[in-house]
Every structure is written in structure tokens, then in C-alpha cells.
Amino acid sequence: EGPLAAKTYTIPYVAGLLCAPDYATAYANPAWIQDGWVEGINSCDLFARVKDAGGNPLACLCRTDPGKYLYVRHPIGNLLSNGSVRLAGDIHPPSQWSGSSRNISLHLGTDRFMSLLDADREEYYRYQTCLLGFRSANGTDTSFSFFAYQGNGDGSAGTMVSGTAPVDTSHWYRFVATLDLAANTYTAAVHDMGADQPTLNTPDSAAPVETFGGATFRFRMDLTNATSGISVLGLSTYGVSGGDTGDTNINLTARFDNLTLDHTPSGAPS
């Protein structure tokens, strides 16, 4: 089949909960599901909220207790199994980490969280293709680096590859990943968007401050008959705080905005 006509959807996000705050009852109250977002079924402990500053909403992942984590997912609506995919998203790092493990991630994959058992917490992450964002490379509360996950294709192991560029915790950064679904590889670039919250139409910076990838930069889980294809966009974080509403100190929260996903099927024009 040929490519589908491009469509743009404007979703009226409103300040408040992005999705139900209880992973066990993610679909119980439709009023708590904005644009299809739901918590991951993995004992999520943070709150996903929509914050709005001057008419420019953003997703805020936060909690009073900084030793917690959260994964929220959004069904793409299509199963992407061939061609190429471009994923872009703006992320603002917190000003300080806290907790035993620290990361903020933007990812694509197959949603395999079908169990409530603690032993299956990592099941979703195993089936990721693209996983990138910020992490603490040396375990300190104030050390930040960009990262992209270098997988081995079978989901059993891999490496969170840390970048070398400095991170300004007062800035927004745009992560752009280009996935080759036939080769099961991807590349990624990070653009410094400055201190002001960007809009969807804010252009990328002239040159990225960090890049990842290459011919051998593999997915964590290759697209096979078992995984079918990419079906879910996910956001996650561990080690942030800022208060349960994000109002105590929004600079301690994980913030996301301007998420875009473009798919070019095999054989279609670039």
C-alpha cells in the first residue's frame, strides 16, 4: 500500500491528571484518561500530570517521595513494522536527582506489561526498541548525562550508553531518534532548545550537542513475529520529586512536551 495522507490532531490537554493515578485501575475512570494515556501495569508510584504555564501545557512526572518511579504509555494506534520511524520529544531534566537509580526516558516499543507481579516489572523495558533520555552515570544526585540504550536485539541485556556533552539543567532538550525497522537499528541526536519551553513549531538547533548510534546501534528487542512491531510510546522516570502535584518545586520534576512520531512505510517517498 502507498503512504497514508499526513494528518495533524490537536488534543485539548487540560491541567490536572494525565491519567489515572492507580496502575491497577488504569481504565476505571475514563475522565482520568487524557488522549489515551494510562499508567504502566508495574506498581507505578509517581503521578503523571498536565501542567500549564501560559497556555503551553506539558507532562509532569512527580512525587513527594523521590525514591519512586513511573511509566506511562500511549497506544500509537498503528502497528509499525516496516520502513523508518522518526521519534522526537522535548525533555527538561530535574535540577537534582534523588534515589538509588536515576533516569528519565522516552521510548518506543511493544507493551508487554500484562502482569501485576513485581517480578515482571522489567518485562516492558525488555521489549523496547528505542530508549533514550537523561541518566545519572556515576550515581550522584547532581550528575546528569544524555543516554541512549544500545541493545543486543533479544532483550536480555544491553548498555545505557552515556554521552559526554554537559547537561544544563535549566534547559529543554529535544531528543530525535531515527529508527530503521528492517535493520533493527537506530540513531539519535540531542538538540539544546534553550531555557524557554519550546513549542511544537520551534525548530531544532543548528547542530546537535550529542549524537548516538550507527550501523551497529541495535534495538533492545528486534522486531520479530513475537513482537510484531512498535505499538506504544512510553515516558518514564525514576528518582525525581517536586511534590505530588509538581507545585512544591517543578524544577525537581521530569517534564515532557512536543512528542511527535513520523512513519515512512517501506517503498514510500522519503
Side-chain angles (χ1 to χ4, degrees), residues 157-238:
T159 304
M160 296 176 75
V161 179
S162 295
T164 58
V167 175
D168 187 332
T169 58
S170 69
H171 282 202
W172 284 85
Y173 290 92
R174 178 164 295 170
F175 291 77
V176 180
T178 303
L179 289 69
D180 184 332
L181 302 188
N184 290 300
T185 60
Y186 76 101
T187 60
V190 185
H191 295 266
D192 188 339
M193 304 300 287
D196 294 334
Q197 183 185 351
T199 68
L200 192 62
N201 295 322
T202 304
D204 299 346
S205 61
V209 296
E210 192 78 79
T211 58
F212 299 94
T216 61
F217 214 79
R218 294 277 300 282
F219 291 174
R220 184 165 187 172
M221 176 64 81
D222 288 348
L223 302 185
T224 63
N225 290 335
T227 57
S228 300
I230 294 171
S231 60
V232 173
L233 169 66
L235 313 176
S236 68
T237 188
Y238 190 102

Side-chain angles (χ1 to χ4, degrees), residues 82-87 108-109 128-132 176-188 219 223 230 261-264:
N82 65 78
S84 64
V85 169
R86 180 185 184 273
L87 168 67
L108 286 174
Q128 290 308 286
T129 54
C130 172
L131 179 70
L132 65 165
V176 180
T178 303
L179 289 69
D180 184 332
L181 302 188
N184 290 300
T185 60
Y186 76 101
T187 60
F219 291 174
L223 302 185
I230 294 171
L261 191 65
D262 299 293
H263 177 222
T264 303

